[in-house]
Amino acid sequence: MKQIKVGTIGYGGAFNMGKHHLNDMMKNKGFVPAAVCDLDAKRLETAQTDFPGIQTYTDVDEMLRKSDVELLAIILPHNVHAKVAIQCMNAGRHVVVEKPFAITVKECDAMIAAGKKHKVVCSTFHNRHWDSNILTIKKHLHKIGRPFRWESYAGHYGEPGTWWRSYKDISGGVIYDWGAHFCEWMLQVMDYEMLEINGYQVKEVWKKFTNEDELEAVVRFKGNAVGSHVASTVSITGKDQIRIVGTKGAIVASHGSCDVYLKDKDNHTVKTSVKMEPAQNSEYYKNVHDHLFHGKKLVITPEWARRVIQILDYAGQSSEKGTGIKAKYK
Ligand SMILES: NC(=O)c1ccc[n+]([C@@H]2O[C@H](COP(=O)([O-])OP(=O)(O)OC[C@H]3O[C@@H](n4cnc5c(N)ncnc54)[C@H](O)[C@@H]3O)[C@@H](O)[C@H]2O)c1
C-alpha cells in the first residue's frame, strides 16, 4: 500500500489546528504523520504528546533538508503563508496552505507558478467549502431564481484582542480571517465572472491596532449581480449573516439556520425554515488524498483560492485609493 508522509509547519496553541489537520489527514488510508515544525519548542512537546515519535523541527529549512515528509499543511500567520509554501514547493513538497491562501494576488501568482514548476499540489484548506450552511444554501438555491445579490456579515463591537490577527502587516487586515470563508461561499453562490472590486473602510476607533476597524468588500459580477461582505469590529447593530436575493425569492442563513422566502399563489411571502444539511468538512482532505492517490480532480485549486484573495486584496487597495479595481482573474 502506497503511503504519503504528512506533516505541519505551525502547531499553534490558539485553536490547536496542527493536531486538527493531522487527525483529519489520518482519516484517509495512506496518509502517515511524519513531521512537525514550529518556532516554539513548547508546541513541539505538545505535538510529541499528541503523535508520539513524530519528528520535530524548529526551522523549516532544516526540516526540508532532513525529513522526507511529502505533504505539508502550512498553519502559520498569514504574512508568511506564501514564503513558506514556496520554500516547501521548491523542495518538491506538496502544500496545503491554511486560509487565507495568501495576502496578495501577487503572492498567489508566485505560489501557483511554484506549484506548476515543481509539479506538486498547491491547495488551500477551504474545509468550510463543506460547512452545513453553504451545503444547505446550495441545495435550495435553485428555488430563488437567479441570485443577483449576496450580502454577508461577520461583525461585532469590541476592541480586538492583542494577538497577531489584529495587526494588518501580519494578518492582511480585518477581512482576512472569517472573510476568507465568507468570500469563498460568496463565489460558490455567485457563479459569475468578477468584473470589479470596491472596498470601504473605517479606521478611527481601535488605535492600538493596525487592522481596519471595518472593511466592506463589494464585488461587481458580470450580468448585473453584486456580492458584498462586511468584516467589522465597530458594528453595534448586527445584520443577517448571509442574505441572498434572487429573481424569485431569497435565502437568509446563519451557521445554524437557513430560511427560504418565496411568494405563494396569492402573492403572500412564505418563509420556510429548511433542514440543515450535515457538514462534510473531512471532504477536504479526502479530496486531496484521492487527488494524490487516484488522480481525482482537486476541488480547491490554487486558482479558485486566488479568486477569494483577489476580493480581499483588491477591497483593501480600493478602500485606500477610493476607487474600484478591475478584476484580473475573472
Ligand atoms: N480553517 C479554519 O477554520 C481555521 C481556524 C483557525 C485558524 N486558521 C488559520 O490557521 C493559521 C494559523 O492560525 P493559528 O490560530 O494556528 O495561529 P497560532 O498563533 O495559534 O499558531 C501559529 C504558530 O506558528 C508558529 N510559527 C510562526 N512562524 C513560524 C515559522 N516561520 N516557522 C515555524 N513556525 C512558525 C508559531 O510559533 C505558532 O505556534 C492561520 O492562517 C489561521 O487563519 C484556520
Side-chain angles (χ1 to χ4, degrees), residues 94-108:
H94 303 292
V95 296
V96 163
V97 186
E98 253 294 358
K99 49 54 60 174
F101 188 34
I103 292 180
T104 65
V105 169
K106 207 170 153 195
E107 286 177 333
C108 297

Side-chain angles (χ1 to χ4, degrees), residues 53-187:
I54 201 161
Q55 305 160 17
T56 55
Y57 299 90
T58 51
D59 179 69
V60 177
D61 248 339
E62 188 193 354
M63 176 195 239
L64 295 173
R65 267 187 283 111
K66 293 188 177 165
S67 173
D68 56 358
V69 61
E70 295 161 274
L71 166 66
L72 285 158
I74 295 170
I75 318 171
L76 297 175
H78 306 164
N79 62 326
V80 289
H81 283 190
K83 175 177 164 274
V84 174
I86 291 169
Q87 194 178 351
C88 293
M89 289 188 278
N90 284 346
R93 316 304 164 94
H94 303 292
V95 296
V96 163
V97 186
E98 253 294 358
K99 49 54 60 174
F101 188 34
I103 292 180
T104 65
V105 169
K106 207 170 153 195
E107 286 177 333
C108 297
D109 291 344
M111 292 158 91
I112 290 170
K116 286 209 170 107
K117 181 173 173 194
H118 299 288
K119 298 187 171 54
V120 290
V121 170
C122 175
S123 179
T124 306
F125 190 60
H126 272 309
N127 64 329
R128 291 185 181 279
H129 185 86
W130 292 270
D131 261 8
S132 170
N133 59 357
I134 189 66
L135 294 180
T136 309
I137 287 169
K138 282 167 71 182
K139 182 171 177 186
H140 297 277
L141 192 61
H142 67 278
K143 297 176 182 169
I144 67 165
R146 182 181 76 83
F148 59 83
R149 179 179 300 280
W150 164 285
E151 291 168 4
S152 57
Y153 166 82
H156 66 285
Y157 195 101
E159 189 172 75
T162 305
W163 57 350
W164 61 259
R165 281 175 169 74
S166 305
Y167 300 93
K168 192 173 159 70
D169 57 336
I170 308 176
S171 69
V174 69
I175 204 167
Y176 277 80
D177 196 352
W178 270 95
H181 299 303
F182 278 99
C183 291
E184 202 264 340
W185 294 332
M186 179 204 291
L187 292 179

